[in-house]
Amino acid sequence: MTTSSLTSPAPGRYRSDLILYLAIAFALSWACWFTAAGLGGSATSPPAAAPYVLGAFGPAIAALVVRIRRRWRGEPAPANAVPFRRATLPWAPLLLVLASATVLVAAVIAHAAGGPGFSAQDAKDAIDKANGPAAFLFGILVTGPLSEEPGWRGTAYPRMRASMGRFHAGLTLGVIWAVWHLPLFLITGSQQHKLGLTSPNGVLFTVSVVPMALLTGYAYERAGIVASMAVHFATNLTMVLLNVTAPVTLAMIIGIQGIVAVVLLATARFPAAQPAAPAPATVLPAGAQPDTSTWAH
């Protein structure tokens, strides 16, 4: 008897998963957002509200499809996937505070340099507009961390890490993530529409997604998806509470988050990634040829 391993090379398998993920995430999100833009009206009221919110879940739905496909094929999780561990949970609140601090410090420095100030009234207005603290926090958590992180960090990032270093993967994913946001500029009432696609504010917002991708990538490698959600949540929450829209403040956030992310990634010592377990081997009679139609990609 001879034993043959019927697994395809990891890079090819990961590339296939990544292409599928990106195709579904972009198709679902962009279809919903272009529909919302076409319907007109505000993103916070019917009929545009439903497709506007649903579009945020494109990455999560795409991640679920890739996961179901992987399990159906009997394939292991990517070698660079970071599993949930209780021991790493304390990192989540620490990184949440750090992410919030990068935005707050940037706003303070920008104000000292002549940029706009901020006040408690900005935060109160944002909370009142969402009909109270609970609805406000729920909205920030769902439309961003929960709807996106299972896809961008939980699915795309570890597969990109199979053939890229941390900086390369973070920067590449950051550019892709920034492009994914672009249709939001067309939807009346969205934060991106208020900034304007071709305005300095809109351009800086788009660029700011890249250092945030580096920072959330660090968080993911440090403590998994919960930590990347914490960073995403803290950044969005602080920017909304401080009503960050001015170019000088956005530019300062890009600089500070970029520096912090680069320092953390360059100095961190992460646990060595465990190689993915091979798919179950198939035992064939001596001299028999495997039926490649059942496993070829």
Side-chain angles (χ1 to χ4, degrees), residues 99 101-116 118 200 204-205 207-208 211-212 239 244-260:
T102 61
V103 178
L104 181 59
V105 170
V108 171
I109 295 175
H111 177 57
F118 48 89
L204 286 168
F205 169 83
V207 173
S208 73
M212 187 173 169
M239 290 184 70
V244 173
T245 57
V248 63
T249 309
L250 288 167
M252 196 62 65
I253 291 172
I254 292 170
I256 290 180
Q257 283 204 335
I259 291 171
V260 170

Side-chain angles (χ1 to χ4, degrees), residues 17 20 153 201:
D17 285 350
L20 177 63
R153 251 58 60 180
N201 311 52

